[in-house]
């Protein structure tokens, strides 16, 4: 015998009639609900592939059918699970976009933060008063860190000083602003 695939002397329709219960058995064994017959169709395709690639010298056809059908069904289950996970992530993302987006985690739950009245800041008055209270370096920290939202490292690189120097400017500026009742604890 040569090493090529051996064809069975039966048509595929006859093979399906004889082995259709194998598909239903595997669906039942894997606890699959199949209202739209997707898994059954996948089982038929697997049976066709097994029929086409079957080699008689490698073992019984029934075992090969069982193996092929079962693995194809498992692959489809995994594919559907990945698809469902992506759909769930998308739904969650859309739900978050519909709300304010402010959430905190409490265990495995996400809870929405209760919205507060927005704090309105008059930057013109803030800057005028800061110029009267602070030194030049403290004003640099105030402007870059609080107003422009730059990092301390960025400020130190821009001004050519150490990070500790910028932190010192910030500490002293905070002291002066708090003493003047100009800045509360939440802002810096």
């Amino acid at each position: 015998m040569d090493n090529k695939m051996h064809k069975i002397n039966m048509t595929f329709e006859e093979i399906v009639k004889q082995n259709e219960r194998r598909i239903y058995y595997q669906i039942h064994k894997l606890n699959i609900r199949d209202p739209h017959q997707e898994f059954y169709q996948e089982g038929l395709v697997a049976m066709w592939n097994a029929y086409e690639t079957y080699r008689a010298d490698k073992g019984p056809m029934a075992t090969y059918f069982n193996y092929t059908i079962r693995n194809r069904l498992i692959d489809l289950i995994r594919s559907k699970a990945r698809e469902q996970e992506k759909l769930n992530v998308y739904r969650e993302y859309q739900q978050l976009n519909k709300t304010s987006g402010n959430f905190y985690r409490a265990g495995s739950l996400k809870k929405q933060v209760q919205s507060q009245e927005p704090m309105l800041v008059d930057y013109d008055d803030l800057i005028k008063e800061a110029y009267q209270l602070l030194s030049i370096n403290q004003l640099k920290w105030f402007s870059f860190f609080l107003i422009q939202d730059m990092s301390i490292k960025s400020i130190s690189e821009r001004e050519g000083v150490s990070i500790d120097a910028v932190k010192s400017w910030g500490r002293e500026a905070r002291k002066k602003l708090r003493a003047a009742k100009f800045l509360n604890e939440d802002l810096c």
Side-chain angles (χ1 to χ4, degrees):
M1 276 191 171
D2 60 344
N3 209 10
K4 293 187 177 182
M5 290 184 256
H6 297 286
K7 295 289 181 192
I8 308 303
N9 295 333
M10 301 170 69
T11 65
F12 182 66
E13 289 78 20
E14 294 169 341
I15 296 288
V16 170
K17 282 182 186 176
Q18 288 181 359
N19 295 289
E20 183 176 34
R21 291 186 310 160
R22 292 181 193 286
I23 298 170
Y24 289 118
Y25 173 79
Q26 294 298 338
I27 289 172
H28 176 73
K29 185 92 168 155
L30 294 169
N31 293 321
I32 299 171
R33 296 200 187 276
D34 194 21
H36 302 293
Q37 299 292 307
E38 293 173 88
F39 288 90
Y40 175 76
Q41 291 174 16
E42 190 69 22
L44 282 176
V45 171
M47 191 182 296
W48 170 257
N49 288 339
Y51 172 73
E52 287 291 310
T53 59
Y54 174 67
R55 292 174 47 180
D57 59 333
K58 294 292 184 182
M61 181 186 280
T63 304
Y64 189 55
F65 277 173
N66 288 339
Y67 172 81
T68 305
I69 292 168
R70 179 177 174 79
N71 287 334
R72 287 290 287 271
L73 292 177
I74 290 171
D75 288 346
L76 186 58
I77 290 170
R78 289 177 181 153
S79 173
K80 294 251 182 230
R82 281 191 304 270
E83 188 177 299
Q84 186 62 42
E85 180 63 29
K86 288 178 183 177
L87 185 62
N88 290 342
V89 168
Y90 177 75
R91 283 183 183 151
E92 185 177 318
Y93 174 76
Q94 290 300 323
Q95 186 64 30
L96 286 175
N97 283 342
K98 290 179 183 176
T99 61
S100 71
N102 294 323
F103 290 89
Y104 68 94
R105 288 200 178 275
S108 63
L109 301 174
K110 288 184 180 178
K111 295 185 178 181
Q112 188 169 8
V113 173
Q114 299 299 321
S115 62
Q116 298 176 352
E117 291 293 319
M119 193 168 79
L120 300 175
V121 178
D122 185 8
Y123 285 109
D124 293 335
D125 290 340
L126 186 68
I127 292 170
K128 285 178 189 174
E129 196 160 335
Y131 272 100
Q132 294 172 359
L133 293 172
L134 303 176
S135 70
I136 293 172
N137 287 335
Q138 292 166 354
L139 280 171
K140 288 178 186 176
W141 172 84
F142 179 83
S143 174
F144 295 139
F145 188 77
L146 290 181
I147 305 297
Q148 297 178 23
D149 199 27
M150 289 176 63
S151 70
I152 291 178
K153 183 178 180 182
S154 304
I155 298 168
S156 72
E157 289 171 355
R158 178 181 174 134
E159 295 300 315
V161 296
S162 69
I163 291 175
D164 289 331
V166 177
K167 288 180 182 179
S168 174
W169 300 346
R171 275 192 301 274
E172 294 304 315
R174 283 189 201 99
K175 285 180 190 175
K176 289 181 181 179
L177 293 171
R178 284 187 193 124
K181 304 275 186 214
F182 181 67
L183 200 60
N184 64 21
E185 295 291 325
D186 296 337
L187 284 177
C188 58

